[in-house]
mmCIF file of all heavy atoms in Angstrom:
data_model
loop_
_atom_site.group_PDB
_atom_site.id
_atom_site.type_symbol
_atom_site.label_atom_id
_atom_site.label_comp_id
_atom_site.label_asym_id
_atom_site.label_seq_id
_atom_site.Cartn_x
_atom_site.Cartn_y
_atom_site.Cartn_z
ATOM 1 N N PRO A 186 -0.373 -6.291 28.242
ATOM 2 C CA PRO A 186 0.957 -6.886 28.221
ATOM 3 C C PRO A 186 1.399 -7.261 26.763
ATOM 4 O O PRO A 186 0.635 -7.954 26.140
ATOM 5 C CB PRO A 186 0.830 -8.149 29.072
ATOM 6 C CG PRO A 186 -0.416 -7.950 29.869
ATOM 7 C CD PRO A 186 -1.280 -7.000 29.186
ATOM 8 N N ALA A 188 4.748 -8.745 24.465
ATOM 9 C CA ALA A 188 6.024 -9.498 24.667
ATOM 10 C C ALA A 188 7.259 -8.723 24.176
ATOM 11 O O ALA A 188 7.720 -8.881 23.039
ATOM 12 C CB ALA A 188 5.942 -10.830 23.937
ATOM 13 N N PHE A 192 8.180 -5.501 29.191
ATOM 14 C CA PHE A 192 7.244 -6.358 29.988
ATOM 15 C C PHE A 192 7.909 -7.570 30.525
ATOM 16 O O PHE A 192 7.741 -7.907 31.708
ATOM 17 C CB PHE A 192 6.080 -6.804 29.077
ATOM 18 C CG PHE A 192 5.234 -7.844 29.682
ATOM 19 C CD1 PHE A 192 4.382 -7.582 30.760
ATOM 20 C CD2 PHE A 192 5.360 -9.174 29.222
ATOM 21 C CE1 PHE A 192 3.631 -8.601 31.343
ATOM 22 C CE2 PHE A 192 4.589 -10.244 29.868
ATOM 23 C CZ PHE A 192 3.762 -9.896 30.881
ATOM 24 N N LEU A 193 8.818 -8.247 29.733
ATOM 25 C CA LEU A 193 9.327 -9.508 30.145
ATOM 26 C C LEU A 193 10.445 -9.454 31.200
ATOM 27 O O LEU A 193 10.575 -10.354 32.034
ATOM 28 C CB LEU A 193 9.864 -10.283 28.906
ATOM 29 C CG LEU A 193 8.812 -10.632 27.847
ATOM 30 C CD1 LEU A 193 9.514 -11.089 26.497
ATOM 31 C CD2 LEU A 193 7.815 -11.686 28.342
ATOM 32 N N SER A 194 11.209 -8.355 31.135
ATOM 33 C CA SER A 194 12.435 -8.363 32.023
ATOM 34 C C SER A 194 12.005 -8.364 33.495
ATOM 35 O O SER A 194 11.163 -7.649 33.928
ATOM 36 C CB SER A 194 13.309 -7.189 31.642
ATOM 37 O OG SER A 194 12.927 -6.072 32.336
ATOM 38 N N GLY A 195 12.668 -9.234 34.226
ATOM 39 C CA GLY A 195 12.447 -9.348 35.656
ATOM 40 C C GLY A 195 11.261 -10.217 36.075
ATOM 41 O O GLY A 195 10.940 -10.348 37.276
ATOM 42 N N LYS A 196 10.549 -10.781 35.077
ATOM 43 C CA LYS A 196 9.338 -11.633 35.411
ATOM 44 C C LYS A 196 9.719 -13.075 35.215
ATOM 45 O O LYS A 196 10.328 -13.446 34.210
ATOM 46 C CB LYS A 196 8.188 -11.254 34.517
ATOM 47 C CG LYS A 196 7.572 -9.854 34.773
ATOM 48 C CD LYS A 196 6.285 -9.624 34.014
ATOM 49 C CE LYS A 196 5.636 -8.314 34.366
ATOM 50 N NZ LYS A 196 6.398 -7.195 33.765
ATOM 51 N N SER A 197 9.272 -13.918 36.122
ATOM 52 C CA SER A 197 9.445 -15.389 35.997
ATOM 53 C C SER A 197 8.539 -15.883 34.872
ATOM 54 O O SER A 197 7.546 -15.242 34.516
ATOM 55 C CB SER A 197 9.069 -16.054 37.312
ATOM 56 O OG SER A 197 7.647 -15.894 37.509
ATOM 57 N N ASP A 198 8.922 -17.045 34.347
ATOM 58 C CA ASP A 198 8.070 -17.699 33.289
ATOM 59 C C ASP A 198 6.610 -17.879 33.827
ATOM 60 O O ASP A 198 5.661 -17.654 33.065
ATOM 61 C CB ASP A 198 8.625 -19.062 32.886
ATOM 62 C CG ASP A 198 9.890 -18.913 32.145
ATOM 63 O OD1 ASP A 198 10.290 -17.798 31.786
ATOM 64 O OD2 ASP A 198 10.574 -20.022 31.915
ATOM 65 N N GLU A 199 6.483 -18.182 35.088
ATOM 66 C CA GLU A 199 5.192 -18.436 35.661
ATOM 67 C C GLU A 199 4.361 -17.120 35.675
ATOM 68 O O GLU A 199 3.174 -17.151 35.315
ATOM 69 C CB GLU A 199 5.391 -18.893 37.090
ATOM 70 C CG GLU A 199 4.201 -19.558 37.765
ATOM 71 C CD GLU A 199 4.544 -19.913 39.219
ATOM 72 O OE1 GLU A 199 5.730 -20.337 39.441
ATOM 73 O OE2 GLU A 199 3.703 -19.697 40.082
ATOM 74 N N LEU A 200 5.035 -16.028 36.019
ATOM 75 C CA LEU A 200 4.297 -14.727 36.052
ATOM 76 C C LEU A 200 3.916 -14.268 34.635
ATOM 77 O O LEU A 200 2.794 -13.816 34.421
ATOM 78 C CB LEU A 200 5.182 -13.679 36.764
ATOM 79 C CG LEU A 200 4.508 -12.350 36.973
ATOM 80 C CD1 LEU A 200 3.251 -12.461 37.811
ATOM 81 C CD2 LEU A 200 5.511 -11.364 37.694
ATOM 82 N N VAL A 201 4.812 -14.514 33.686
ATOM 83 C CA VAL A 201 4.521 -14.157 32.319
ATOM 84 C C VAL A 201 3.288 -15.011 31.831
ATOM 85 O O VAL A 201 2.367 -14.464 31.225
ATOM 86 C CB VAL A 201 5.721 -14.469 31.388
ATOM 87 C CG1 VAL A 201 5.385 -14.325 29.904
ATOM 88 C CG2 VAL A 201 6.871 -13.457 31.710
ATOM 89 N N ALA A 202 3.271 -16.285 32.150
ATOM 90 C CA ALA A 202 2.160 -17.160 31.777
ATOM 91 C C ALA A 202 0.886 -16.678 32.419
ATOM 92 O O ALA A 202 -0.248 -16.660 31.832
ATOM 93 C CB ALA A 202 2.462 -18.586 32.156
ATOM 94 N N GLN A 203 0.955 -16.210 33.648
ATOM 95 C CA GLN A 203 -0.214 -15.723 34.338
ATOM 96 C C GLN A 203 -0.804 -14.480 33.628
ATOM 97 O O GLN A 203 -1.989 -14.346 33.425
ATOM 98 C CB GLN A 203 0.228 -15.305 35.801
ATOM 99 C CG GLN A 203 -0.881 -15.128 36.765
ATOM 100 C CD GLN A 203 -0.300 -14.686 38.159
ATOM 101 O OE1 GLN A 203 0.666 -15.302 38.589
ATOM 102 N NE2 GLN A 203 -0.885 -13.730 38.716
ATOM 103 N N PHE A 204 0.101 -13.564 33.239
ATOM 104 C CA PHE A 204 -0.360 -12.414 32.496
ATOM 105 C C PHE A 204 -0.957 -12.816 31.153
ATOM 106 O O PHE A 204 -2.006 -12.235 30.738
ATOM 107 C CB PHE A 204 0.856 -11.418 32.210
ATOM 108 C CG PHE A 204 1.020 -10.359 33.290
ATOM 109 C CD1 PHE A 204 2.005 -10.557 34.258
ATOM 110 C CD2 PHE A 204 0.181 -9.273 33.390
ATOM 111 C CE1 PHE A 204 2.197 -9.632 35.262
ATOM 112 C CE2 PHE A 204 0.376 -8.307 34.396
ATOM 113 C CZ PHE A 204 1.384 -8.516 35.305
ATOM 114 N N ALA A 205 -0.327 -13.835 30.515
ATOM 115 C CA ALA A 205 -0.825 -14.247 29.232
ATOM 116 C C ALA A 205 -2.203 -14.834 29.270
ATOM 117 O O ALA A 205 -3.004 -14.740 28.343
ATOM 118 C CB ALA A 205 0.112 -15.262 28.581
ATOM 119 N N ARG A 206 -2.604 -15.432 30.427
ATOM 120 C CA ARG A 206 -3.958 -16.013 30.613
ATOM 121 C C ARG A 206 -4.998 -14.911 30.935
ATOM 122 O O ARG A 206 -6.161 -15.248 30.829
ATOM 123 C CB ARG A 206 -3.882 -17.023 31.739
ATOM 124 C CG ARG A 206 -3.260 -18.377 31.401
ATOM 125 C CD ARG A 206 -3.565 -19.398 32.456
ATOM 126 N NE ARG A 206 -3.023 -19.054 33.768
ATOM 127 C CZ ARG A 206 -1.783 -19.409 34.210
ATOM 128 N NH1 ARG A 206 -1.005 -20.085 33.365
ATOM 129 N NH2 ARG A 206 -1.361 -19.009 35.360
ATOM 130 N N MET A 207 -4.605 -13.715 31.260
ATOM 131 C CA MET A 207 -5.544 -12.743 31.744
ATOM 132 C C MET A 207 -6.566 -12.299 30.708
ATOM 133 O O MET A 207 -7.776 -12.237 31.025
ATOM 134 C CB MET A 207 -4.829 -11.600 32.403
ATOM 135 C CG MET A 207 -4.298 -11.844 33.793
ATOM 136 S SD MET A 207 -3.162 -10.587 34.372
ATOM 137 C CE MET A 207 -4.277 -9.240 34.716
ATOM 138 N N ARG A 212 -3.595 -14.776 25.415
ATOM 139 C CA ARG A 212 -2.166 -14.700 24.951
ATOM 140 C C ARG A 212 -1.634 -13.318 25.264
ATOM 141 O O ARG A 212 -2.416 -12.406 25.576
ATOM 142 C CB ARG A 212 -2.110 -15.005 23.513
ATOM 143 C CG ARG A 212 -2.735 -13.966 22.540
ATOM 144 C CD ARG A 212 -2.375 -14.236 21.086
ATOM 145 N NE ARG A 212 -3.042 -13.319 20.184
ATOM 146 C CZ ARG A 212 -2.610 -12.124 19.795
ATOM 147 N NH1 ARG A 212 -1.523 -11.601 20.318
ATOM 148 N NH2 ARG A 212 -3.326 -11.402 18.949
ATOM 149 N N LEU A 213 -0.316 -13.146 25.222
ATOM 150 C CA LEU A 213 0.277 -11.891 25.368
ATOM 151 C C LEU A 213 0.108 -11.182 23.985
ATOM 152 O O LEU A 213 -0.051 -11.770 22.951
ATOM 153 C CB LEU A 213 1.834 -12.020 25.562
ATOM 154 C CG LEU A 213 2.232 -12.527 26.892
ATOM 155 C CD1 LEU A 213 3.768 -12.606 26.940
ATOM 156 C CD2 LEU A 213 1.731 -11.656 28.041
#
Side-chain angles (χ1 to χ4, degrees):
F192 167 74
L193 296 168
S194 86
K196 291 190 178 71
S197 65
D198 290 350
E199 196 183 322
L200 187 55
V201 169
Q203 196 181 315
F204 271 102
R206 282 193 299 270
M207 283 167 73
R212 65 172 176 86
L213 292 179

